[in-house]
Amino acid sequence: MNNSQILVPEMLVDSHVHLDFSQFDQDRQEVLQRARAAGIKVLVVPGVRADHWIRVKAVTAADDSIYACYGLHPCFCADHRQQHLDDLKNWAQREQPVAIGECGLDFYTGFVETESEQRLYFESQLSIARESDLPVVLHARRSVDAVLKCLRQAQVHQGVMHSFSGSLQQAKAAIDQGLMIGIGGAVTHQRANKLRGVVAALPLDALLLETDAPDQAGAKHLGMRNEPSFMVTVLDTVAELRSESREKLAAATSENAARLFSITL
C-alpha cells in the first residue's frame, strides 16, 4: 500500500495548489478524486496573473471545498500592468477570496533584475490586503528578510510564507509578525537538512502543509507532475521529523489553515 492510499481520520488541507494551471486541464476531476481518497478535503488555490483569475474562479466555483485567492506573482512582472492592481481591488471586493496572493518578492537569478517592479506590485497588494482585511499568500524566494520588512511597513500581520526555505531565525521572525509557515515537497528530500531542522523546531500552531502542485513534487515523485494526493508524503515526513503522530499533525495543520483563511472544515 502506498502513502496516497492511506486514509487519515482528520481532514487535510492543501494550503497552496495551482489547480487552475493547464497541466491539470486533461484530468482535473481525476486529480481531485485522488486527493479526496488520500484525505485531502480542502484546497486553497492562489492566482498568479490577472489573466489566470478567471480560471481560479471557475475551478473554485465548481466545488465548495476549493477556495480562491487572487494575486500578482513576482515572477510574472512582464505580464502585470498597473490596471491589474485596480482590477485586483475590485476582485477582492466582489469575489470574496480567502486571501490576496500569491504575491511577494523573488531575488533568484533571472528575477532579481525586476526588483523595483516586484516591490511596486507587492507593496500595492499589501495595501489591498490590509484594506480588505485579508491574509496574504507570500512568495519569498531568497527574499525572506525583504518580504518581512515590507509587511512591517505595510502593517500586514496575517498570512503564510509559502514553500518556506529560509533559516530558523527567519521563520521565527515571520511567526512573530503573525505569519504561518507553509511546508511542501522540499522537506521530503534527505539533503534538505536546514529545512528539516526548521520544521522540527517550529511551534505546531504555525505550520501549514501544501503541495504547490503542479510544481515541487517530493522525493518519492521526482520527475512527475505534482498533485494534491502527494501531500500525504509531506505529512508523513513532517510527522516523523517532529516525532508526532500523523493524525495530530493533520488535525493541527488543518485547524491552522481554517483559522488563517477563515474557512469551515
Side-chain angles (χ1 to χ4, degrees):
M1 178 178 287
N2 61 44
N3 279 338
S4 65
Q5 295 174 312
I6 302 174
L7 298 179
V8 292
E10 282 76 20
M11 178 183 293
L12 280 166
V13 177
D14 186 344
S15 65
H16 194 109
V17 52
H18 295 287
L19 197 61
D20 61 303
F21 278 18
S22 60
Q23 289 93 325
F24 295 114
D25 284 353
Q26 300 303 313
D27 64 343
R28 190 170 283 108
Q29 289 307 309
E30 289 83 355
V31 167
L32 282 170
Q33 289 171 5
R34 289 191 289 271
R36 306 306 189 205
I40 291 85
K41 304 301 184 185
V42 173
L43 303 95
V44 178
V45 181
V48 297
R49 294 180 355 201
D51 62 349
H52 277 212
W53 297 343
I54 192 67
R55 293 176 60 91
V56 173
K57 179 178 178 179
V59 167
T60 57
D63 190 317
D64 61 9
S65 65
I66 306 176
Y67 294 88
C69 314
Y70 299 110
L72 300 168
H73 193 292
C75 293
F76 296 101
C77 276
D79 300 303
H80 303 334
R81 301 290 181 268
Q82 284 284 332
Q83 178 60 43
H84 295 161
L85 293 168
D86 292 332
D87 295 341
L88 179 59
K89 185 179 295 186
N90 292 332
W91 275 73
Q93 293 173 348
R94 184 181 69 245
E95 303 299 334
Q96 298 186 320
V98 297
I100 297 296
E102 181 175 354
C103 60
L105 300 172
D106 193 310
F107 294 165
Y108 189 72
T109 302
F111 297 110
V112 70
E113 291 85 349
T114 63
E115 179 179 344
S116 61
E117 291 178 271
Q118 289 186 40
R119 287 183 179 275
L120 184 155
Y121 287 111
F122 181 39
E123 290 167 2
S124 297
Q125 289 177 89
L126 291 178
S127 294
I128 293 171
R130 186 183 64 246
E131 293 167 7
S132 305
D133 193 25
L134 288 172
V136 283
V137 175
L138 297 164
H139 177 101
R141 185 164 57 167
R142 297 191 179 179
S143 60
V144 173
D145 292 340
V147 165
L148 292 178
K149 183 177 179 179
C150 287
L151 264 69
R152 286 193 298 271
Q153 292 173 338
Q155 298 183 30
V156 172
H157 305 292
Q158 53 178 342
V160 53
M161 193 162 280
H162 121 85
S163 188
F164 186 79
S165 60
S167 67
L168 179 58
Q169 181 180 11
Q170 288 174 321
K172 289 180 176 178
I175 293 168
D176 287 344
Q177 286 190 217
L179 301 180
M180 294 188 183
I181 304 297
I183 302 298
V187 78
T188 67
H189 296 280
Q190 292 285 345
R191 66 180 182 275
N193 293 321
K194 181 178 75 171
L195 177 60
R196 286 173 164 236
V198 170
V199 167
L202 291 182
L204 184 55
D205 62 3
L207 290 178
L208 297 182
L209 302 183
E210 63 170 69
T211 59
D212 198 25
D215 299 322
Q216 298 203 60
K220 291 190 175 181
H221 302 97
L222 286 177
M224 298 174 64
R225 176 196 67 179
N226 198 8
E227 63 175 72
S229 63
F230 296 171
M231 200 179 77
V232 175
T233 304
V234 178
L235 171 72
D236 288 340
T237 301
V238 174
E240 182 178 355
L241 290 170
R242 296 176 59 85
S243 299
E244 293 169 344
S245 72
R246 63 203 308 271
E247 291 80 9
K248 178 181 178 180
L249 183 64
T253 55
S254 296
E255 289 167 4
N256 294 344
R259 186 170 69 255
L260 176 65
F261 295 119
S262 299
I263 58 180
T264 301
L265 297 178

